[in-house]
Amino acid sequence: MTATRMAGADATWLHMDRPHNLMLVQTVLWFEGEADWGAIVESFFERVVARFEVFGSRPLDPPVTLGLLAPRWQPVEVNRADHLRRVRLPDPGGTAQLHRYIAKQLSTPLDRRFPLWQLHLIDGFEQGGAILLRTHHAIGDGSALVRMLVTWAGAEPQRDCGSMGGGAGRSASPGGGITADAGMLVKLVAGLPTRAGLLGEDLSGVKSVAWTAPVPLDRIKRLSAATGSTVNDVALAFVAGALRRSVEGAAKSGRVEAIIPVNLRTQEPPFETGMGNHFGLVFTTLPTDVGDLRERIARVKADMDRIKSTHEARIVFDALTAIGATPQSGAQAWVDSFSRRASLIVTNIAFPIYTLTIGSSQIKGIVAWVPTTGPLGLGVSICSYAGVVR
């Protein structure tokens, strides 16, 4: 089977693994009742591994990436034993025990001799068990993984999958790019601080994970309508408030920069079902110095409206694509220089608004963690599924 060249942006994320920061997306889903592991595994191999080539291909990464010497995907025969793990949580099998299990996996790299994913079948969580799907970022971004999950469940992807609607999750100006406005990238970087003002210490490699109690999506939408903002504006204002309460110095800081991924895929039919990475990155200032929620929403909205009037996301995507054809050390240095100017990365991932079922097992909840790269230590994912947000 012939190896195919890896897309530039995918190659960039393949090269971003660090000892203390792996480029792994951790997706967790848990079930309403007892999980039928046999049907779940069979459906994954029939609907995901057989359909999406990257789940059946391993990366071939040359010693030096330069021009035609680029990473490739090599199709291989997938051995289930290389990818499946069956574990049982210690008693009492609650959220705390699941958090600790997932945290241990965050610093465990995937074996590049095989396709870059693992499926952990977790017994003993509440009444129905849970799944941890570990995928390397080179396989695909959040939007692609949502479509993969919907395909796994045997449903048809909906046009609202992958973004909570407007704002940070979608590019309002898909045109442009480095070729259209090369000077904007220089302005973008030159206008940012040289280093994050908060959370800028060296990383320890010790990670922890958590998720919030569910918040009704309708409640956020009502606040969005009342303030003339997007759902994402409101969610980012919530994150700013959380930082204000929990991070020393955040309330007094006038500028806490966050990196926001922006989906650049089209949402017009025919709906895309491929994997890979097709997003840009923008910076927004989180108003952690503002106590009033509505004022925070207004500040976030103003900054996001400014960003959506530019081509920043497309320019950064073009840059990520270009450096995928350059040596790994140079690519890492560029991403480090870019990302160390922020304190955290915040993304939104919109899973379907309807309930998904795999085999006979109904999915009760889904969350996914955005990986952090280079010097970044904090990642926040705003996940919506079946009418609630976590």
Side-chain angles (χ1 to χ4, degrees), residues 292-310:
D292 181 75
L293 173 59
R294 293 200 173 215
E295 185 179 347
R296 282 204 308 275
I297 294 173
R299 288 265 295 270
V300 169
K301 172 179 166 52
D303 201 38
M304 291 307 302
D305 285 349
R306 175 192 61 79
I307 290 168
K308 287 185 283 187
S309 68
T310 73

Side-chain angles (χ1 to χ4, degrees), residues 358-375:
I358 300 177
S360 60
S361 304
Q362 188 177 91
I363 299 176
K364 182 178 180 181
I366 311 174
V367 294
W369 283 274
V370 59
T372 53
T373 185

Side-chain angles (χ1 to χ4, degrees), residues 36 102 145 268 282 385:
D36 182 349
I102 296 166
L145 286 172
E268 297 302 322
V282 301
Y385 168 67

